[in-house]
Amino acid sequence: LHSVPTIHDIYKAQKRLAQQAVDTPLLRSPKLDQKTGATVFIKPENLQRTGSFKFRGAYNAMVQIADADKTKGVVAVSSGNHAQAVAEAGQILDIPVIVVMPHDAPKAKIEGVWERNAEIVFYDRNAEDREQIAAQLIKKTGATYVPPYDHLDVIAGQGTAGLEAAEELKNQGVTPDIFLCCCGGGGLMAGMSIALKDAFPELEIYAVEPEEFDDTGRSLRAGKRLENTRKSGSICDAILTPMPGKITFEINRLLVSGGLTVTDDEALEAVRFAAQKLKMVVEPGGAVALAALLANKLDIKGKTVLIILSGGNTDLVGMSAI
Amino acid sequence: LHSVPTIHDIYKAQKRLAQQAVDTPLLRSPKLDQKTGATVFIKPENLQRTGSFKFRGAYNAMVQIADADKTKGVVAVSSGNHAQAVAEAGQILDIPVIVVMPHDAPKAKIEGVWERNAEIVFYDRNAEDREQIAAQLIKKTGATYVPPYDHLDVIAGQGTAGLEAAEELKNQGVTPDIFLCCCGGGGLMAGMSIALKDAFPELEIYAVEPEEFDDTGRSLRAGKRLENTRKSGSICDAILTPMPGKITFEINRLLVSGGLTVTDDEALEAVRFAAQKLKMVVEPGGAVALAALLANKLDIKGKTVLIILSGGNTDLVGMSAI
């Protein structure tokens, strides 16, 4: 019923994104290496256009919309990062954008959508179904739906982050042992895993999720898609999805070794470490892979580890009063 | 009396630093390009080991200290970034370190020195002479003095940031028109200018300094070293030096086109832009080149501009209360 992206879809996405997305570097931190006893490479997608990896997938999907459909616009649902990404791509491609966002999304994300001239329809995470609201909007406008993760072009776009990381690691003659990926709906992990497993077939990949929102970890163990009981209540707002996507889970069940969880406090400690030691602004949901390292969730001593910082759109790290 | 480093000293420094310093990337920001109308490349030395470029020069100088002198230790004077750099190099090379630091240095910098097991002797910027205090310590201990900027090996070390930027720009087929450099004593600007002018002879280079602390700008115009009237009172603590160095000025008067100044408010605005839009933690003194861009201090429309973010050790950008 649906098709799964291949490495060739990711190569094509990389060409489409060439003049638009930021080719984020791989960073090193002697401090982090010391603390973990591992050799850690950081892919900082908080430095990506719009402050998260989401721009890759959104632009890769939207640049392929037929001219005749562009004026009808795009509708998206998002906790805030996909929203900003779709809004940014809309500005570049001259496509009107409406996003369905939870009313409790961080201020930085709401403002990020408005300043890109997109419209927001707010909903309640606990009481309303965002997909239903989106469906009504699409029925009314004829807009194209751009899903946050469960879509071939979106997954292929996110995969370009994995392609870049693989290319840079190969340039440096490095073979990573482990890849830790922040996981919400699983689009980033699916896309990056396709690219990274193509380059490094022996790589072990782990999904990192907030405690009590470990739908992907539990689904991997069960061999089928399971839902989270809670729908809100973690500070990791970017990765609180109800359950793994159909397409993303089909990929991740094949390529991902398992799941790890971190508490909100561990995520916050990683946000703090990123600001103070790595000198980067990272949001809690974007810091869970780092949190898993800092909280010793996996034995990585002596290993070469790739982690992603997936976003930096947060109200938490700001200027203190002087 | 003193000798000036050449591009070959910088190549040698690069070899010494290969396994120790971070090879910081060149970053792009579509947001910043849009805002300035220029093509801006950012060299983020806030991501360098110890949170500023200073590690490059300190390590390059200290790794050359003779074994017999190592146990006698190193003495340095610093507003905080050179202090942390010398302390870090001391830990790597097993050399005891004492630094003379102003008592009003940011907490983040004082803690950064202590956590690297170096000793701090505090002084008053307005009432005491830090060089004199250092001279007394050296007389007592026989320690080696590692100056913050006016030293061949220190300048050559800082120059490696310029070499990396030049190599990366050449890889990308880019010829920069303008380089904006944060300027205190002028060591970073001197070292980077040697490397960048070697690669791009037509490059225009500007020193950026805080208003009322524009000793280098005024000295360049006068053709001789002039002193600042004030010794403290700007939030740009990292670059409040009394006057240009002898060696650094000899280099900068030949290679630098002129000086620009920014106000404290403009520096703070750049710190805020860096946190919110670039997702990086930058200290005020390390953000003045970005501040000059954002405040339109130079006509750069349509130009290709390289700027440095020189450090990120600040108490200003932290976690807000939740």
Side-chain angles (χ1 to χ4, degrees):
Chain A
L1 277 166
H2 54 258
S3 69
V4 164
T6 67
I7 187 74
H8 303 288
D9 294 307
I10 301 176
Y11 283 124
K12 281 184 217 157
Q14 194 178 38
K15 275 189 192 136
R16 291 185 198 110
L17 286 165
Q19 294 308 313
Q20 298 298 343
V22 171
D23 189 341
T24 57
L26 276 191
L27 300 177
R28 301 295 311 276
S29 162
K31 192 93 183 175
L32 184 56
D33 286 0
Q34 267 166 32
K35 214 174 158 71
T36 57
T39 302
V40 184
F41 289 82
I42 304 166
K43 181 75 173 166
E45 282 294 295
N46 54 325
L47 308 184
Q48 184 51 263
R49 191 167 189 164
T50 72
S52 89
F53 71 93
K54 290 284 191 180
F55 178 75
R56 297 174 183 268
Y59 184 86
N60 187 48
M62 287 168 68
V63 75
Q64 298 182 65
I65 293 174
D67 281 342
D69 291 328
K70 279 184 179 168
T71 51
K72 293 181 211 154
V74 151
V75 165
V77 303
S78 167
S79 59
N81 281 335
H82 180 58
Q84 290 176 86
V86 170
E88 178 92 355
Q91 280 199 313
I92 298 168
L93 300 164
D94 204 17
I95 300 175
V97 166
I98 306 174
V99 286
V100 182
M101 269 175 83
H103 63 76
D104 60 344
K107 207 168 134 254
K109 293 181 179 175
I110 294 171
E111 286 174 357
V113 175
W114 278 335
E115 77 185 26
R116 293 179 175 90
N117 298 323
E119 194 183 320
I120 302 179
V121 174
F122 290 103
Y123 79 101
D124 181 337
R125 282 186 209 250
N126 294 301
E128 295 178 276
D129 179 356
R130 63 183 190 178
E131 306 284 346
Q132 212 165 29
I133 300 171
Q136 282 167 352
L137 288 167
I138 288 162
K139 201 170 167 188
K140 207 171 69 182
T141 60
T144 304
Y145 182 54
V146 179
Y149 46 85
D150 223 11
H151 186 283
L152 190 147
D153 297 318
V154 172
I155 296 170
Q158 322 304 28
T160 59
L163 209 53
E164 284 171 16
E167 286 167 351
E168 181 62 26
L169 288 166
K170 290 210 159 176
N171 278 347
Q172 296 186 29
V174 173
T175 301
D177 302 305
I178 294 167
F179 169 47
L180 298 184
C181 191
C182 315
C183 184
L188 178 65
M189 196 168 62
M192 286 188 75
S193 295
I194 292 168
L196 287 164
K197 277 283 199 179
D198 183 73
F200 308 110
E202 306 297 319
L203 185 69
E204 268 179 51
I205 300 173
Y206 293 89
V208 188
E209 296 173 292
E211 232 174 59
E212 295 188 66
F213 297 89
D214 56 338
D215 50 308
T216 291
R218 288 187 300 113
S219 299
L220 288 171
R221 284 189 289 279
K224 62 177 180 187
R225 295 193 303 144
L226 299 177
E227 214 165 331
N228 287 319
T229 317
R230 292 171 67 193
K231 301 287 178 249
S232 68
S234 159
I235 53 157
C236 300
D237 62 279
I239 54 177
L240 304 187
T241 39
M243 68 189 300
K246 277 192 194 119
I247 310 178
T248 56
F249 186 66
E250 194 173 320
I251 299 164
N252 291 330
R253 68 189 299 187
L254 293 173
L255 303 181
V256 177
S257 302
L260 307 171
T261 61
V262 300
T263 65
D264 274 9
D265 279 348
E266 287 165 344
L268 278 178
E269 185 50 40
V271 171
R272 204 173 288 122
F273 184 91
Q276 291 175 350
K277 306 301 180 192
L278 306 180
K279 305 299 173 190
M280 284 194 295
V281 176
V282 185
E283 60 185 290
V288 294
L290 175 61
L293 278 197
L294 294 174
N296 300 308
K297 300 283 169 158
L298 200 67
D299 182 17
I300 54 161
K301 282 237 165 6
K303 300 276 175 70
T304 298
V305 182
L306 173 67
I307 64 168
I308 187 149
L309 303 176
S310 59
N313 295 313
T314 175
D315 302 335
L316 289 177
V317 177
M319 299 260 296
S320 309
I322 297 151
Chain B
L1 277 168
H2 52 258
S3 69
V4 164
T6 67
I7 186 75
H8 302 290
D9 294 308
I10 301 176
Y11 282 124
K12 280 184 217 158
Q14 195 178 38
K15 274 188 194 140
R16 290 185 198 109
L17 286 165
Q19 294 308 312
Q20 299 297 341
V22 171
D23 190 341
T24 57
L26 277 191
L27 299 177
R28 300 295 311 278
S29 162
K31 193 93 184 176
L32 185 56
D33 287 0
Q34 265 165 33
K35 212 175 159 72
T36 58
T39 303
V40 184
F41 290 83
I42 303 165
K43 180 75 174 166
E45 282 293 298
N46 53 326
L47 307 185
Q48 185 52 263
R49 190 167 189 165
T50 72
S52 89
F53 71 94
K54 290 284 192 180
F55 178 75
R56 297 174 183 269
Y59 184 85
N60 186 48
M62 287 168 68
V63 74
Q64 298 182 66
I65 293 174
D67 280 342
D69 290 329
K70 279 183 177 168
T71 51
K72 291 181 211 154
V74 151
V75 165
V77 302
S78 166
S79 60
N81 281 336
H82 179 59
Q84 290 175 88
V86 169
E88 179 92 354
Q91 279 198 315
I92 298 168
L93 299 164
D94 204 17
I95 300 176
V97 166
I98 306 175
V99 287
V100 182
M101 268 176 85
H103 63 76
D104 59 345
K107 205 167 135 259
K109 293 181 180 176
I110 294 170
E111 286 173 356
V113 175
W114 278 335
E115 77 186 26
R116 293 178 175 91
N117 297 323
E119 193 183 322
I120 302 179
V121 174
F122 290 103
Y123 78 102
D124 181 338
R125 281 186 210 250
N126 293 300
E128 295 178 275
D129 180 354
R130 64 182 188 177
E131 306 284 345
Q132 215 166 27
I133 300 171
Q136 282 166 353
L137 287 168
I138 289 163
K139 203 172 164 186
K140 207 170 69 181
T141 59
T144 303
Y145 183 53
V146 178
Y149 45 86
D150 223 10
H151 186 284
L152 190 146
D153 296 317
V154 172
I155 296 169
Q158 323 303 31
T160 59
L163 209 53
E164 284 171 15
E167 286 167 350
E168 182 61 27
L169 287 166
K170 291 211 158 177
N171 278 348
Q172 295 186 28
V174 173
T175 301
D177 301 305
I178 294 168
F179 170 46
L180 298 184
C181 191
C182 315
C183 185
L188 178 66
M189 194 169 62
M192 286 189 74
S193 295
I194 292 168
L196 287 164
K197 278 282 199 180
D198 184 73
F200 309 110
E202 306 296 319
L203 185 70
E204 271 179 49
I205 300 173
Y206 293 89
V208 188
E209 296 172 293
E211 233 174 55
E212 296 188 65
F213 296 90
D214 57 337
D215 50 310
T216 291
R218 290 187 298 112
S219 298
L220 288 171
R221 285 190 289 280
K224 63 178 180 188
R225 295 195 302 144
L226 299 176
E227 214 165 330
N228 286 319
T229 317
R230 292 171 68 193
K231 302 285 178 250
S232 69
S234 160
I235 52 154
C236 299
D237 62 279
I239 53 176
L240 304 186
T241 38
M243 67 189 302
K246 278 191 193 124
I247 309 178
T248 55
F249 186 65
E250 194 172 320
I251 299 164
N252 291 330
R253 69 188 300 187
L254 293 173
L255 303 182
V256 178
S257 300
L260 307 170
T261 62
V262 299
T263 65
D264 273 7
D265 279 349
E266 287 165 345
L268 278 180
E269 186 50 40
V271 171
R272 205 172 288 123
F273 184 92
Q276 290 175 351
K277 305 301 180 190
L278 306 179
K279 305 300 174 190
M280 284 193 293
V281 176
V282 186
E283 61 184 289
V288 294
L290 175 63
L293 278 197
L294 294 175
N296 297 311
K297 300 285 170 157
L298 200 67
D299 183 16
I300 54 161
K301 282 237 165 3
K303 300 277 176 69
T304 299
V305 183
L306 173 68
I307 64 168
I308 185 149
L309 303 176
S310 59
N313 295 313
T314 176
D315 302 336
L316 289 178
V317 177
M319 299 263 294
S320 311
I322 295 148

